[in-house]
């Protein structure tokens, strides 16, 4: 959807989760566990399965700043995603 969001969280271990639901498939859940350090930026990317992959399994991964910056430059920041 060409959007991204920014979140400030406390240092420590966090489980980042996304939940998706397909029309004919059961809901699936993906999680990424991060050990967050103070004053450090983390870039997270959601990987959607190809349309022909009927498992409907979405993955969430950490990516490097060098990979994230060009992608973010083409996206719009979402500021109300937690509402």
């Amino acid at each position: 959807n060409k959007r991204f969001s920014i979140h400030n969280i406390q240092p420590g271990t966090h489980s980042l989760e996304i939940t998706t639901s397909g029309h004919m498939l059961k809901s699936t859940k993906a999680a990424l566990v991060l050990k967050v350090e103070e004053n450090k930026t983390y870039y997270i990317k959601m990987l959607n399965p190809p349309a022909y992959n009927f498992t409907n399994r979405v993955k969430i991964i950490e990516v490097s700043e060098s990979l994230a910056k060009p992608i973010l430059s083409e996206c719009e920041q979402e500021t109300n995603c937690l509402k």
Side-chain angles (χ1 to χ4, degrees):
N1 68 6
K2 298 276 186 182
R3 288 183 161 73
F4 70 94
S5 59
I6 297 173
H7 305 273
N8 294 312
I9 58 176
Q10 296 296 319
T13 302
H14 296 272
S15 178
L16 307 176
E17 297 180 349
I18 53 174
T19 302
T20 62
S21 180
H23 293 288
M24 299 177 64
L25 302 171
K26 292 182 181 178
S27 292
T28 59
K29 191 182 247 187
L32 172 66
V33 176
L34 277 181
K35 291 184 179 178
V36 175
E37 297 176 20
E38 189 172 3
N39 299 318
K40 185 173 178 186
T41 301
Y42 297 85
Y43 298 90
I44 308 302
K45 181 173 176 67
M46 186 173 73
L47 301 175
N48 291 313
Y52 58 82
N53 180 343
F54 299 109
T55 63
N56 197 30
R57 295 186 190 266
V58 176
K59 293 182 181 179
I60 184 170
I61 61 169
E62 181 180 1
V63 296
S64 68
E65 180 178 8
S66 62
L67 179 64
K69 288 289 186 174
I71 296 169
L72 293 175
S73 70
E74 298 177 6
C75 297
E76 178 182 336
Q77 183 177 351
E78 183 70 48
T79 57
N80 66 349
C81 60
L82 295 178
K83 292 182 180 180

